[in-house]
Amino acid sequence: MTTQKLDLMPFCLRARAFLAQGRTEDAMGLFNDVIAVDPDNMQGYADRGTAWAMQKQFDLALADLDRAFALGYDEASAYSTAGTICLEQAEYDKALGYFSRAAQLDPQYPYTYYNRANVHYAMGNRAAAVADLETCLHFPGAADFRELVLQRLATVRSA
């Protein structure tokens, strides 16, 4: 007998739409349902973790994101979210680990480098912060982000 898993991704997508509409309770209910039906659904944990992070429920967010990672979820954005949570909580070593993994998975995502630069700076490692900020400048992007990076770079260099 073969057991075939249900494709629960449509439910995660619907929950994401609820989040975008500000219907947080509906979204969380759907994420909970996905996880109840499939307790090993890494997408459900990753999405619910992100939703918890949006609500500033950082302990719950990290628990869900770490569960998703343990199940094999390997998306740069989720690792970046986990890193941002750790940065907010001044858990800099953990933040560096998450941001480094995000950069490995998607080396073309400048926000990972920007956020990791903030961790380096908070830890007193200005050279590493400058290096990550300079990396951001090599990516094509919106002028407003480039200006933000240049301002942050000036602040870090003058500190």
Side-chain angles (χ1 to χ4, degrees), residues 6-106:
L6 292 173
D7 178 12
L8 298 172
M9 187 61 181
F11 295 97
C12 289
L13 294 174
R14 182 70 177 137
R16 289 179 192 175
F18 285 153
L19 280 176
Q21 297 167 1
R23 296 172 54 188
T24 305
E25 284 184 38
D26 292 331
M28 297 307 278
L30 264 180
F31 290 137
N32 291 339
D33 290 346
V34 165
I35 292 167
V37 169
D38 179 5
D40 292 330
N41 189 289
M42 59 185 155
Q43 186 68 56
Y45 282 107
D47 285 355
R48 189 174 73 176
T50 300
W52 284 126
M54 293 167 61
Q55 297 172 63
K56 306 276 188 224
Q57 297 291 323
F58 296 138
D59 290 338
L60 294 170
L62 275 178
D64 275 356
L65 290 167
D66 283 337
R67 176 74 175 136
F69 301 147
L71 291 167
Y73 193 78
D74 225 15
E75 293 288 331
S77 63
Y79 278 96
S80 191
T81 298
T84 301
I85 291 167
C86 291
L87 173 60
E88 289 281 324
Q89 295 181 323
E91 294 181 39
Y92 301 129
D93 289 330
K94 282 179 68 175
L96 279 180
Y98 287 125
F99 285 130
S100 293
R101 181 67 182 142
Q104 287 174 341
L105 292 169
D106 185 0

